[in-house]
Amino acid sequence: MDLLVDQYSRRIKSMRISITDRCNFRCRYCMPADGLPWLPKADILTYEEIARIARVAAAIGVEQIRVTGGEPLVRADVPVLIAMLRDLPGLKSLSLTTNGTRLPKLVKPLAEAGLTRINVSLDSLVPHKFFQITRRDALDSVLAGLDALEAYPAIRPIKVNAVAMRDFSEEEVLDFAALARRKSYVVRWIEFMPLDADQIWRKEDILTGGEIRAIIEGAYGPLVPVTTGDKSETARRFTFADGVGEVGFINPVSEPFCAECDRIRLTAEGGLRTCLFSQEETDLRAILRGGGSDADLAATMREAVWHKELKHYIGDTRFRRSKRSMSMIGG
Ligand code: SAM
């Protein structure tokens, strides 16, 4: 079958699948304090429907799947979905992005189901600052989730992702660097993007990966680049000079990586998005529930991907916000 390729010759190899729009956090850069109107259950794809789309996507070139949300682990029986996806022909990587709070309970069944990689979001190591961002008093449960992961070497690497915000993150950069050296976690900083439901994003709030790197290098000396040859990797990766610990910088605003983008996203209700900032989605649920064949699904995905956006245009007069916030897309 023909692979997923866009008109700019970018081959799509990675799909992020949101399995719920709900979340147990209310992060300021993502969701309003009162949450959002949740999708009715009937609108959300079943695990069977998700697995079918994933199988078709894998058959036309998707090699990496990341399950996300909302908070994916607030949906029931996520290990069941992981087990359905783990052996898809062509799939090389199956990972999960989570806020970590439910990991103490779920890490064992997730590992047994076949999860092999994980990203845990953690923006502050200080309880009152953690609360300020997430509006939840849950730092301890996230740290307990990370601890629980350490007992499951089948799930590696453990990536800890922090959103960097000016006048908030600077004072913790070195604590996160120390965490990356003390634990086996890869700590990655992500630039704040205009994907928040409250529309508080301002250019001035971005703390760039370059600025964070300078803070770390001021304390530890020059970082050493880790080169993998994988151009589609979102993070610029570095180790410390003594080889202990890894940090990464995901710089979508200051150093956009659209030219190498190999990603598509599936929303919880089955919308295929070819860019985080897409203005339009392609409704795959209608095909699934309208009796369409796998060939119909593949053809629709190929057509949508062909028209994948050239770039996101953040910081340019051509930039237009997405109608959806990050929690409704699947980060
Ligand atoms: N609930 C899960 C979690 O916490 O990782 C998965 C979904 S969450 C939307 C995925 C990632 O998107 C998180 O790392 C979060 O910090 C990030 N995110 C959300 N809004 C963002 C924004 N406006 N800019 C940058 N990253 C954002």
Side-chain angles (χ1 to χ4, degrees):
M1 275 219 255
D2 288 342
L3 299 173
L4 286 171
V5 182
D6 76 6
Q7 61 186 310
Y8 307 106
S9 304
R10 292 174 297 190
R11 215 196 109 188
I12 300 304
K13 295 187 190 163
S14 165
M15 182 154 83
R16 303 208 176 155
I17 300 180
S18 173
I19 62 169
T20 180
D21 57 327
R22 297 175 193 224
C23 190
N24 51 348
F25 282 9
R26 296 287 180 272
C27 299
R28 285 174 189 278
Y29 51 70
C30 188
M31 251 200 220
D34 296 335
L36 291 162
W38 306 133
L39 292 167
K41 205 172 165 198
D43 289 0
I44 290 184
L45 297 187
T46 64
Y47 286 164
E48 287 71 21
E49 288 171 327
I50 291 171
R52 184 171 163 207
I53 292 175
R55 183 167 41 78
V56 171
I60 52 178
V62 166
E63 299 171 354
Q64 301 167 5
I65 287 181
R66 167 129 35 106
V67 173
T68 183
E71 170 47 44
L73 298 184
V74 302
R75 182 160 172 182
D77 303 324
V78 181
V80 171
L81 175 68
I82 297 296
M84 290 165 84
L85 299 178
R86 68 180 292 176
D87 293 323
L88 287 181
L91 197 68
K92 295 183 180 159
S93 162
L94 179 57
S95 66
L96 177 79
T97 299
T98 173
N99 64 30
T101 50
R102 303 233 164 144
L103 282 175
K105 268 196 191 145
L106 286 170
V107 64
K108 185 169 186 281
L110 286 168
E112 287 168 357
L115 187 73
T116 52
R117 301 169 75 89
I118 198 151
N119 291 355
V120 177
S121 302
L122 173 60
D123 302 324
S124 173
L125 300 166
V126 179
H128 76 268
K129 289 186 68 183
F130 183 93
F131 180 85
Q132 196 183 329
I133 283 291
T134 62
R135 302 182 174 114
R136 294 291 183 269
D137 184 12
L139 176 59
D140 284 348
S141 50
V142 178
L143 296 176
L146 283 167
D147 268 352
L149 276 170
E150 289 180 39
Y152 292 88
I155 306 179
R156 291 291 184 276
I158 301 170
K159 293 181 183 168
V160 171
N161 291 338
V163 176
M165 280 158 296
R166 186 169 303 287
D167 299 329
F168 181 84
S169 311
E170 295 90 330
E171 63 191 22
E172 289 197 66
V173 167
L174 294 181
D175 291 337
F176 273 100
L179 182 73
R181 292 171 60 73
R182 192 170 70 245
K183 296 281 198 176
S184 56
Y185 311 154
V186 176
V187 170
R188 308 185 317 164
W189 290 96
I190 307 174
E191 288 174 350
F192 181 26
M193 291 179 278
L195 285 163
D196 54 308
D198 283 339
Q199 309 216 353
I200 54 167
W201 184 89
R202 293 177 314 147
K203 219 172 158 202
E204 303 77 63
D205 296 329
I206 301 166
L207 178 65
T208 66
E211 290 173 278
I212 295 180
R213 181 176 163 191
I215 296 173
I216 300 173
E217 292 192 326
Y220 289 95
L223 294 171
V224 183
V226 177
T227 41
T228 59
D230 179 2
K231 282 192 187 162
S232 66
E233 203 162 39
T234 50
R236 304 259 176 276
R237 295 169 55 186
F238 297 87
T239 54
F240 293 81
D242 61 4
V244 179
E246 181 178 328
V247 290
F249 305 99
I250 301 172
N251 303 336
V253 186
S254 66
E255 290 180 76
F257 34 82
C258 306
E260 271 82 41
C261 182
D262 69 348
R263 281 170 296 286
I264 51 177
R265 289 178 155 80
L266 183 69
T267 67
E269 74 267 55
L272 183 71
R273 296 177 65 90
T274 47
C275 175
L276 255 182
F277 298 92
S278 288
Q279 298 293 318
E280 308 292 337
E281 289 173 4
T282 301
D283 185 0
L284 298 185
R285 188 184 63 194
I287 299 174
L288 288 168
R289 297 189 183 173
S293 65
D294 286 358
D296 294 333
L297 275 175
T300 304
M301 290 170 78
R302 268 198 223 98
E303 173 69 14
V305 161
W306 182 257
H307 297 288
K308 180 174 165 66
E309 294 76 354
L310 176 62
K311 50 186 185 165
H312 58 51
Y313 296 113
I314 298 175
D316 186 307
T317 50
R318 286 168 289 182
F319 176 69
R320 284 171 67 203
R321 286 188 70 108
S322 164
K323 279 167 246 148
R324 289 173 177 268
S325 63
M326 191 68 133
S327 67
M328 298 155 75
I329 296 171

